[in-house]
Amino acid sequence: MAERPYIVGNWKMNGTRAMLAQARAIDRAAQNMMKVEVALAPPFTLIHAVHREVEQIGVGAQDCHPGPDGANTGDVSAAMVADAGAKFVILGHSERRRDHGESNALVAQKAVAALQAGMRLILCVGETEETRDAGKAEAFVTRQLKASLPETLESPADSLTVAYEPVWAIGTGRTPTVEEIGAMHCAIRALLVDLYGAEQAAQVRILYGGSVNAENARDLLAADEVGGALVGGASLTAENFLGIVVAAADTVDS
Ligand code: PGA
């Protein structure tokens, strides 16, 4: 477990202003658990409101457009989400790859735009069930990560977090074993060492995501090279999400 675990809630397409009370409750509790870095990625429409409501936790976006501005109806640029208060952006989530046909190359372009806007990246990768069953998960994920990263990244230690999210584990209640997660995270770490050198790579946190909840968090967070969690469904209420944050805090103590 990394020195300061990073627990990020991805609200996906959930939340109206009524949900700001959850963000406030998460923020208050996080103020008493400083050994865990806590963040939320609400939908675009709530970024500014969450940013204004919270003091301690990080606020980020779930996507951004690769371009600076222009005739792109319905799209939101990196500078816009940064202006709304986002300090990081989740890129390459499998739901965007699946529902919007996002390629690795597009994810890399978005990453460049996000960095230019001064935000950190949470770059998501993960294999389908067929790929895992075929024994090709690690080869697929490392290739996907390499192709989704910007060509140059000045200070990965400050700007990059990787999230390993097996597609078949997202929202399904199923997770890989602790050994499988550890093996994948070690493969990702080895790629990062190759790309950025040992010193920078050691400081990039690799999150696990996919059906993390308060009950399984302790085990999943104990897997090799896991530096935190990217949480979907269980981040929608303060009660569920804080159960995971408490589990992360416990791993720092032990
Ligand atoms: P889940 O989603 O926790 O609901 O499985 C995780 C994610 O997609 O980031």
Side-chain angles (χ1 to χ4, degrees), residues 11 19 22 26 233-242:
W11 279 3
M19 228 161 109
Q22 303 301 321
I26 290 165
S235 71
L236 297 176
T237 65
E239 191 186 352
N240 288 339
F241 191 52
L242 290 171

Side-chain angles (χ1 to χ4, degrees), residues 47 100 102 143 187 203 221 234 246:
I47 290 173
H100 300 270
E102 292 196 5
R143 207 170 47 236
Q203 294 177 66
L221 290 169
V246 167

Side-chain angles (χ1 to χ4, degrees), residues 10 12 93-95 165 169-173 209-212 230-234:
N10 171 12
K12 306 192 178 185
H93 192 282
S94 66
E95 285 154 14
E165 300 203 303
I170 295 175
T172 59
S211 296
V212 178
L230 182 55
V231 184

Side-chain angles (χ1 to χ4, degrees), residues 108-174:
Q109 284 172 25
K110 291 182 173 199
V112 170
L115 292 167
Q116 273 168 359
M119 292 186 289
R120 286 158 57 192
L121 312 172
I122 298 182
L123 227 151
C124 302
V125 288
E127 82 286 356
T128 61
E129 189 159 30
E130 298 73 61
T131 303
R132 176 153 291 273
D133 289 347
K136 296 179 177 156
E138 285 167 32
F140 174 86
V141 165
T142 49
R143 207 170 47 236
Q144 187 185 42
L145 177 57
K146 198 170 175 190
S148 302
L149 282 163
E151 225 161 81
T152 55
L153 190 52
E154 242 163 58
S155 178
D158 301 319
S159 58
L160 178 65
T161 298
V162 176
Y164 167 55
E165 300 203 303
V167 176
W168 52 273
I170 295 175
T172 59
R174 297 165 57 210

